[in-house]
Structures are given as C-alpha cells and as structure tokens.
Amino acid sequence: MTAHQELPELDPVIHAQARLRVVAALNTLGDGDELAFPALKELLGMTAGNLSVHLSKLEDAGYVRITKTHRGRTPVTYVSLTKRGRLAFEEYTKAIRALLDASGGIT
C-alpha cells in the first residue's frame, strides 16, 4: 500500500457485529425470499429484543424489509434483504477485502 492509497470506509450500519450477522444470514436467501423472525432469531442465537433493535436500524437504512402478516390468527413477521441491502453488503465485503489486502495480511 502506498502513502497515497486511502483505506476503504466500512458501512457503520452493517459493521456492528450483530447487524453484520443478520445481513450475512439474509444474503444467503434468494432475491425476494424471506425468513420468519423466529427462524432468524434461532439461526443467529439472539434474543427477540436484541434482534428487533438491530432489524430496526437495518430497516431505517433501507437494508431489510419487515413484513407483518397473519398465518390464520397467528401474527407472523418476515424479514428479507432489500436490493439496497444486498448492494450494501456486497460493497461492505469488497471494502473488508480491500482493507485486508492493504494490510499485507499474513503470508
């Protein structure tokens, strides 16, 4: 890395560990696919309250879509990654790779 190269900026919304895990998990779904809130909570091993807080931040950034509906009389909440969220995650992973490459890494 030369003195003139700048290190990449990391998206602060995604960079928080819990939100990174949420976005990474949702990124494995196909476009338009969604995951029920309890399944995401179990997959990530998070409490409902903690997951809700992080999903709110991701939703405010336009990275996830929260859909509340009913299955019969039971309320169900689905979570999906938006196109903007997929792009943000792609840019984040590129920035992490560039940061690691710039550091020289361990050979």
Side-chain angles (χ1 to χ4, degrees):
M1 180 170 82
T2 67
H4 299 307
Q5 287 178 312
E6 288 187 29
L7 293 176
E9 291 291 320
L10 299 177
D11 184 327
V13 175
I14 294 177
H15 192 63
Q17 180 187 356
R19 291 192 295 273
L20 176 57
R21 292 176 64 227
V22 169
V23 173
L26 293 174
N27 193 60
T28 64
L29 301 174
D31 277 340
D33 287 348
E34 52 193 11
L35 195 58
F37 181 89
L40 183 60
K41 179 177 80 80
E42 185 175 321
L43 176 69
L44 299 173
M46 296 173 73
T47 65
N50 194 18
L51 180 56
S52 292
V53 166
H54 291 294
L55 286 175
S56 291
K57 289 187 187 298
L58 290 165
E59 185 179 34
D60 289 347
Y63 293 174
V64 299
R65 181 176 12 269
I66 310 290
T67 307
K68 295 180 184 273
T69 186
H70 286 81
R71 185 181 298 141
R73 292 180 179 220
T74 307
V76 183
T77 300
Y78 291 103
V79 184
S80 60
L81 199 58
T82 63
K83 287 186 191 308
R84 182 175 176 181
R86 281 190 195 282
L87 180 61
F89 183 65
E90 186 178 305
E91 292 298 318
Y92 179 86
T93 56
K94 282 181 191 173
I96 286 285
R97 284 187 186 104
L99 185 63
L100 294 174
D101 289 346
S103 73
I106 298 172
T107 55

